[in-house]
Structure formats: structure tokens, C-alpha cells
Amino acid sequence: MQPSVIIGLFLVILLASIFVAPRRASVEGFFGGQSETGQPPGLWTLVLSQVTTWIFARSLMNSAILGYFYGIAGTLAYAAYYASFLTGGYIVLRLRANGSGSVQDWLGSRFGPAGNAAYNLVIALRLLSEVFANLIVVGLIFGALWHGSETTAIIAVAALALAYSCWGGLTAALRTDVLQMAIFLVVFAVALVALLASPDFSLSAALTAPGSSGGYLGWVLMVVAALQVFSYPAHDPVMMDRGFLADEATTRASFLHAFWISALCIVGFGLFGIQASLQGASYEDQLIGTWATMFPGWVFGALMLSLLVSALSTLDSALSSASRLVVEELRLAPRSLNGGRAAMLVFALAGTGLTLWGSQTLFDAVAVSGTASMFLTPVLIVGLVMNRNVPLWSYLVAWAAAMLGAAAYFARAWEPVAAILPEGHKYEQLLAICVVVLIVGFAAVVFGARRVASRAAG
């Protein structure tokens, strides 16, 4: 498939997204996702929106890259993060049973403005990472298809996603997610069937493949995912926002369906990376260059198109969640359409700027973000699940430990940080950081809760 055909098809999808986005939106629809008649989204709108915003371009690339280097262990390690739909659904239902309308509602009632400020800082960074990491993939693909077009493509896709997001906010994100996910599933299914039917492909070999670097580090990442999977969804505003749009039965079902659909897509995409390692193909351009030489042109085109569609679907959802964060939680702008649009513009500009300047190591964004979220694990388990009173100082100690852990992983090559980290591969260092963060967080939260309980008893 010629690069011009792939780009042309993507432009058609962009135009279709603009067409299905609402031309007008109420304030409630912009921030709460209700239809023009005031109805909440239905089950499959929620499912497809959850899936398409979580199997975004960065995730698909991560799954394939980890499959290439660490075989089935690497792909399964990344797929393990999608158990976040199970833990996230559980957290949402506990929050709703508690009478909370968001994570911030619950944190604010327990820890006041300081608790919310600490949390909102983390999710603001998360939203920025969503924007720039997906735009990175857009740049990589356009650069591979049409050398020298990276910057233009990044700016154009960001601008067009911003344009239709500004029209309808969360309502626009939900509508376009359904369209984009339907297209993604068809295009990706075609590519996956072609891979599975290829005479060079063996499912048994893929499911036992060690990858080009051996499977050990893939299993290390599996343990990291297990440690992060409870807190990870709670710091993702896109997932959490969709947990409070419909009734509880619809919400519960949407999280369960989103889990198995997402996990299958991630494992399926990982097979393309595993196959590249089994064929001994060299690693080029985050695997994009590798696939260009491995597969027939139409299969390669389907892979690129599915990546571009998934990037687009995440951008509009990240921008709608950013508007809700700025307007409804931080109250830095009026609760109006223009207030929400101004917030979207700021995040789009900041994310695009980071893309044009930042790192292209895709998994590092997940690792840093996941580590930063881990302060929520002891706080939610002890405070929400066990219903114990946790003092503010315990919360802030857990938060500080997670922030320092995330910073340490990000700056691991810096000599003062390298001196305190254990020797070994960066993923082994990440595992050690996660263990320390959890130990410090649980120690502070459990000790603080016991002190509160003993004072109340006395």
C-alpha cells in the first residue's frame, strides 16, 4: 500500500470524525457526556470508548516492542496492565457506594484541598503524557511513510483533534470513539487474520517465543504491572470519568467487556512484534521500519492505519478529560463551553510542544506514570476498601515516596541517582523502586490509620 493511500485513508477518518462530532453541545454534554436529550451513554458506547482510549497507539507499539525483545512474556506483561479495567471498575463502584462522584470527591472529603492538589498534579501530568506520547507515534508513522513530514503531521493531527473536541467536549469524544473503534477493529482484524494465516507464522512458536533478548525481563515487567495495576486506573482520568456517566449496572458491565476486548487486542498486536523476533528481523524505527520489510504492503498499511486511528481516538478523550479537570476540579476556568475549550487548547499546545521536544522512549512514559500513581494503592486499600481513617500526613508521605520513585526512574542515568539504585537492567531497577514506594506508602498509611484509631478509642 502506497504511503499516500494510508495517509489519504487516515484523512478520510479524520473528516468522518469531524462529521459525527456534534455541532452544538450543552454544558452538561460537554463535561458530562449526555446526549442532546440529556441521556447518558449506553453500554456499548461506554465499552467502545473505554477500549479505544486504552488501546491507544503508544500501548499498541509498547506491546509489539516488548513482544519483539521479550517474547510472549513481554506482551503478557503489558497486557497485564489491562486488568486495570477490573481494578478500576472495582474502585469506581466503591466510590459510588460511598456517595462520591469522582476520585477527587472522595480524596477531598478525606484529605481536603491538599489531598486533591497532590492527586490533580499527577493526573495533569498523565493527561499531558497521553497527548504527547500518541503524537509521537503519529510522527514516527508519518516519518516512516513520508520522510520529513513528522512535524507537519503532528501539528495537523493535534489541531484537527482539538477542533472537533472543542465542538462537543466529552459528547464528541464518545461519539467519535465509537466510529474510530469500529474502524480500528475492522482494520486490525484484517491485519491479524493475515498474520495468523501466513505460512511463516506458528501460534505455538509465538506463544513460547523468548524474544530477541530472552523472556526474563518480560517476567520482571509482569511483576511491575501486578504491583501497579491497582493504582494505575485510579490516576487515569479518562477511565475514571467514564465510570460516573451511566448507572451502576451499565458501568460494571462496561468495565468487564472493556477488559477482555482490550486484552485480546493488545496480545494480538504483540504477536506482530513476536513474529518479527522469530524471523530474526532487525529492529528499526520502533518496529515500523521492520514491519515495512516483513509484511505485504496492504498488511503494513493496515497496521499503520490502526495505529493512527488509535492515536486520534486517545487525543480527543484526553482533551475532554483535561477540560473537566481544569474546569470542574481545579476551577481555573468558568464552567462554560469557552472555559472547557480554553483548557483543551492549553493541553493541546503543551502536549504538542513536548512531542516536538521530548523523548521517544515509549515505555518510559508508562513506567514513570505508573510509579507516580502508586501512592494511591495504600490510600485506597486502607481508606476506601477497609474504610479506615488515614491522616493527611500519611497520604502526603505516600505521595512523596511515589513522586520520588517516579523521578528516580526518569533520572536513573544521572550519577547521583544511579549511585543509590541497584545495579541491573532498568526494568529491574523499576521493580526495586516500585517495591520501596509501596513499602514506604503502606508503612505511613497503616501507622497513621492506627494512630487515628487509637486516639479515637482513647
Side-chain angles (χ1 to χ4, degrees):
M1 187 181 295
Q2 293 295 318
S4 58
V5 175
I6 299 172
I7 295 171
L9 289 172
F10 180 58
L11 289 175
V12 170
I13 295 168
L14 261 172
L15 293 174
S17 299
I18 293 173
F19 179 77
V20 301
R23 299 297 181 271
R24 296 180 180 178
S26 65
V27 172
E28 292 305 317
F30 194 93
F31 295 106
Q34 291 93 339
S35 67
E36 291 88 341
T37 59
Q39 296 299 310
L43 172 61
W44 286 101
T45 296
L46 274 181
V47 171
L48 293 176
S49 182
Q50 291 270 41
V51 172
T52 194
T53 52
W54 258 61
I55 56 167
F56 40 83
R58 181 184 70 190
S59 291
L60 295 171
M61 290 303 300
N62 281 335
S63 174
I65 290 167
L66 293 175
Y68 177 86
F69 284 112
Y70 312 119
I72 192 63
T75 290
L76 290 177
Y78 203 79
Y81 276 100
Y82 287 77
S84 292
F85 279 114
L86 303 180
T87 55
Y90 174 75
I91 291 168
V92 162
L93 294 175
R94 290 300 297 253
L95 289 170
R96 292 177 64 144
N98 192 265
S100 301
S102 66
V103 178
Q104 288 95 331
D105 273 357
W106 185 81
L107 290 175
S109 68
R110 293 294 188 106
F111 307 110
N116 263 343
Y119 174 77
N120 286 333
L121 174 63
V122 173
I123 67 171
L125 295 174
R126 164 77 177 178
L127 287 168
L128 276 178
S129 78
E130 295 294 277
V131 175
F132 83 76
N134 283 280
L135 287 176
I136 282 174
V137 177
V138 170
L140 288 171
I141 292 172
F142 272 81
L145 297 177
W146 209 329
H147 184 67
S149 66
E150 299 91 349
T151 300
T152 301
I154 288 168
I155 294 172
V157 171
L160 289 168
L162 174 65
Y164 73 75
S165 298
C166 282
W167 279 346
L170 185 53
T171 302
L174 291 169
R175 281 194 188 182
T176 55
D177 283 348
V178 173
L179 169 70
Q180 292 156 1
M181 188 61 200
I183 294 171
F184 170 85
L185 287 175
V186 171
V187 173
F188 178 57
V190 168
L192 183 60
V193 169
L195 174 68
L196 297 176
S198 169
D200 297 327
F201 181 80
S202 165
L203 184 60
S204 61
L207 295 179
T208 56
S212 64
S213 300
Y216 165 71
L217 290 173
W219 299 119
V220 170
L221 287 178
M222 179 75 81
V223 179
V224 171
L227 294 178
Q228 294 185 352
V229 76
F230 191 82
S231 62
Y232 201 87
H235 94 301
D236 183 270
V238 174
M239 179 186 286
M240 291 294 103
D241 285 353
R242 282 155 178 73
F244 297 90
L245 301 180
D247 61 84
E248 289 193 14
T250 300
T251 300
R252 181 185 294 108
S254 73
F255 276 86
L256 290 173
H257 287 307
F259 162 66
W260 68 264
I261 295 172
S262 297
L264 285 178
C265 289
I266 288 296
V267 172
F269 214 90
L271 292 177
F272 286 91
I274 293 172
Q275 181 67 5
S277 71
L278 286 173
Q279 292 188 8
S282 59
Y283 181 84
E284 298 177 22
D285 265 344
Q286 306 273 356
L287 285 182
I288 293 173
T290 303
W291 288 332
T293 62
M294 279 181 58
F295 299 118
W298 68 270
V299 175
F300 174 73
L303 285 174
M304 295 305 99
L305 194 59
S306 62
L307 284 169
L308 289 170
V309 171
S310 64
L312 180 65
S313 67
T314 304
L315 287 173
D316 56 35
S317 294
L319 292 174
S320 67
S321 289
S323 69
R324 183 185 175 280
L325 171 67
V326 171
V327 172
E328 296 200 322
E329 301 299 342
L330 298 178
R331 298 179 182 173
L332 296 177
R335 193 175 190 272
S336 64
L337 298 181
N338 286 337
R341 288 163 180 163
M344 287 183 175
L345 176 62
V346 170
F347 271 79
L349 290 174
T352 304
L354 285 171
T355 306
L356 299 176
W357 169 79
S359 166
Q360 294 192 359
T361 306
L362 294 177
F363 184 75
D364 279 1
V366 177
V368 171
S369 177
T371 305
S373 76
M374 292 182 74
F375 75 98
L376 291 166
T377 298
V379 171
L380 291 173
I381 288 177
V382 176
L384 181 64
V385 178
M386 299 173 65
N387 200 28
R388 302 282 296 277
N389 288 321
V390 177
L392 176 60
W393 71 263
S394 296
Y395 173 90
L396 293 177
V397 168
W399 179 83
M403 295 304 103
L404 289 172
Y409 183 75
F410 183 77
R412 61 189 177 275
W414 188 35
E415 190 172 335
V417 175
I420 62 175
L421 291 177
E423 292 186 9
H425 190 275
K426 64 179 181 178
Y427 295 153
E428 294 174 311
Q429 294 176 331
L430 175 62
L431 176 58
I433 290 170
C434 290
V435 170
V436 171
V437 167
L438 282 181
I439 289 174
V440 173
F442 269 106
V445 169
V446 171
F447 178 73
R450 285 181 175 176
R451 287 199 65 183
V452 170
S454 63
R455 286 177 182 172

